[in-house]
Amino acid sequence: MVWIHGGGYLHGSGELPCYSAHRLAEEGNVVVVSISYRLGAFGFLAVDGGQTNCGTLDQLAALQWVQRNIHAFGGDPARVTLFGQSAGGHSVFKLLTEHAAQSLFQRVILQSAPLSVRQSAHDQARVAIRFRAELQQDPYRASIQALLWAQAKVAPQVTIPLPFSPAFSKEAPAAAHAVDAMLGWARDDAAPFVGVAKNRLPPLRFALPRLADGLVAKLLTRQLFSLPALTFAQTRSDPRAAPKKTYLYRLDTCFANNRYGAGHCIDLPMLLGDEASWQGAMLLGSSLWHEVHASGYRLRAAWAAFAHTGNPNAPKGYRFQPFSRFDPHPTILK
């Protein structure tokens, strides 16, 4: 299993303790590789005809390394499952839709991925123009500090979601349908974003009463996460183009005294990390770690079962049904 971390293509690292996969590996008898890749302007800025999507190239290089070396760690290069959350799931989607033909992976898990956000080369060029205007010097000669400063100035200014993210160039090839897929979202995925927006923009506190938070979060969750996932699952359900199964889920688990419910990233402490790395996390509310760990057991079992066989149904686990266009409902996980 190869993990791609999220963070909006601006933050994070595969080496963070909260992404440690020791529980998943031990319980599921899987080998987990957590990768890092270039972020922000270093990974996804298109400047003067230079190399673009460098972050995606890093991910491909990691997958190629897995093919060459994973057998030495007890892994099977013919059974590689890519999984990622948020921007990591978005990265998995990029690799699936444009690089599946390279046979570097056989299964994918997309967790709370904003699949409707797909930059074009034109979008990347617009971001690059704004970036150069802020930087006011040759980016190839600028210091790291100057590049990061310009990145911080540009990110909140542009109207393009995920301004530093990979450009999508084509429709999914037939090879993408030869890969088993499991994808889904958290029930209240957008709730933390609504909360952060209100804290950063004081006028919203008055324009958006507390009672309206839930409605806005529900609408944004539908627009950014659930509808795009459902649309992609329906695309894969066409019997003429879908020799492999697709599983769709919605994660409803939430913890006591947590104002964001089953919000974005709620799946991460259930799958990865340990008590120390998640201490004080707002999404965990007042729950004790043993409760978080226990609540994630079936999730870890499903992810590992899917990696082994392409079927997430594990003993004493959740009961998944393959997605069907005639019954287009997700499996509810809680």
Side-chain angles (χ1 to χ4, degrees), residues 114-202:
L115 302 185
S116 61
V117 179
R118 304 185 201 180
Q119 275 207 99
S120 65
H122 176 69
D123 293 328
Q124 279 194 334
R126 288 170 54 199
V127 173
I129 291 171
R130 181 65 65 88
F131 187 90
R132 287 294 295 266
E134 292 290 348
L135 186 63
Q136 295 186 348
Q137 58 180 301
D138 184 351
Y140 292 108
R141 296 180 181 274
S143 67
I144 292 176
Q145 291 75 15
L147 293 169
L148 290 174
W149 180 87
Q151 174 182 296
K153 294 287 286 185
V154 168
Q157 292 178 8
V158 296
T159 57
I160 300 170
L162 299 176
F164 297 100
S165 62
F168 286 74
S169 59
K170 50 192 173 184
E171 296 298 324
H177 297 290
V179 174
D180 295 312
M182 181 162 65
L183 66 157
W185 65 95
R187 184 192 63 201
D188 308 306
D189 245 324
F193 298 111
V194 175
V196 169
K198 289 184 69 174
N199 289 333
R200 291 184 177 177
L201 301 172

Side-chain angles (χ1 to χ4, degrees), residues 287-325:
S287 295
L288 300 176
W289 179 251
H290 73 85
E291 297 172 316
V292 177
H293 174 73
S295 68
Y297 176 80
R298 289 192 295 171
L299 199 68
R300 296 189 295 275
W303 265 228
F306 182 76
H308 279 291
T309 67
N311 185 334
N313 289 296
K316 299 181 180 180
Y318 296 113
R319 294 294 92 191
F320 288 83
Q321 292 295 328
F323 180 83
S324 168
R325 63 196 314 181

Side-chain angles (χ1 to χ4, degrees), residues 25-88:
E26 292 171 3
E27 296 172 10
N29 190 29
V30 291
V31 178
V32 183
V33 177
S34 184
I35 70 173
S36 296
Y37 53 98
R38 279 171 284 183
L39 301 170
F42 300 94
F44 301 100
L45 181 68
V47 178
D48 298 336
Q51 179 65 61
T52 60
N53 294 342
C54 290
T56 302
L57 294 179
D58 292 343
Q59 295 164 359
L60 286 168
L63 289 170
Q64 292 162 356
W65 181 92
V66 167
Q67 287 297 308
R68 295 192 303 268
N69 297 288
I70 202 62
H71 61 84
F73 298 86
D76 183 353
R79 284 192 297 167
V80 174
T81 297
L82 269 180
F83 71 124
Q85 187 267 350
S86 193

Side-chain angles (χ1 to χ4, degrees), residues 76-300:
D76 183 353
R79 284 192 297 167
V80 174
T81 297
L82 269 180
F83 71 124
Q85 187 267 350
S86 193
H90 192 263
S91 293
V92 173
F93 183 63
K94 164 73 174 179
L95 293 167
L96 173 65
T97 55
E98 298 193 16
H99 299 283
Q102 298 186 35
S103 301
L104 296 173
F105 52 90
Q106 290 69 47
R107 299 180 181 111
V108 296
I109 305 174
L110 292 80
Q111 304 168 215
S112 297
L115 302 185
S116 61
V117 179
R118 304 185 201 180
Q119 275 207 99
S120 65
H122 176 69
D123 293 328
Q124 279 194 334
R126 288 170 54 199
V127 173
I129 291 171
R130 181 65 65 88
F131 187 90
R132 287 294 295 266
E134 292 290 348
L135 186 63
Q136 295 186 348
Q137 58 180 301
D138 184 351
Y140 292 108
R141 296 180 181 274
S143 67
I144 292 176
Q145 291 75 15
L147 293 169
L148 290 174
W149 180 87
Q151 174 182 296
K153 294 287 286 185
V154 168
Q157 292 178 8
V158 296
T159 57
I160 300 170
L162 299 176
F164 297 100
S165 62
F168 286 74
S169 59
K170 50 192 173 184
E171 296 298 324
H177 297 290
V179 174
D180 295 312
M182 181 162 65
L183 66 157
W185 65 95
R187 184 192 63 201
D188 308 306
D189 245 324
F193 298 111
V194 175
V196 169
K198 289 184 69 174
N199 289 333
R200 291 184 177 177
L201 301 172
L204 280 182
R205 299 176 189 174
F206 302 97
L208 189 62
R210 179 67 185 273
L211 291 177
D213 286 7
L215 177 59
V216 173
K218 184 176 181 179
L219 292 174
L220 286 177
T221 296
R222 177 179 172 84
Q223 179 180 353
L224 293 175
F225 300 104
S226 64
L227 272 183
L230 177 61
T231 298
F232 184 55
Q234 289 173 330
T235 300
R236 287 179 50 91
S237 68
D238 186 338
R240 296 168 297 178
K244 295 292 185 178
K245 287 185 173 61
T246 301
Y247 295 91
L248 187 70
Y249 71 87
R250 190 187 79 193
L251 181 60
D252 282 14
T253 299
C254 56
F255 299 102
N257 299 315
N258 158 26
R259 64 177 295 184
Y260 296 131
H264 201 64
C265 298
I266 194 70
D267 47 349
L268 295 183
M270 299 171 68
L271 288 169
L272 306 169
D274 57 17
E275 182 176 8
S277 62
W278 287 106
Q279 186 173 11
M282 189 174 296
L283 282 169
L284 300 185
S286 60
S287 295
L288 300 176
W289 179 251
H290 73 85
E291 297 172 316
V292 177
H293 174 73
S295 68
Y297 176 80
R298 289 192 295 171
L299 199 68
R300 296 189 295 275

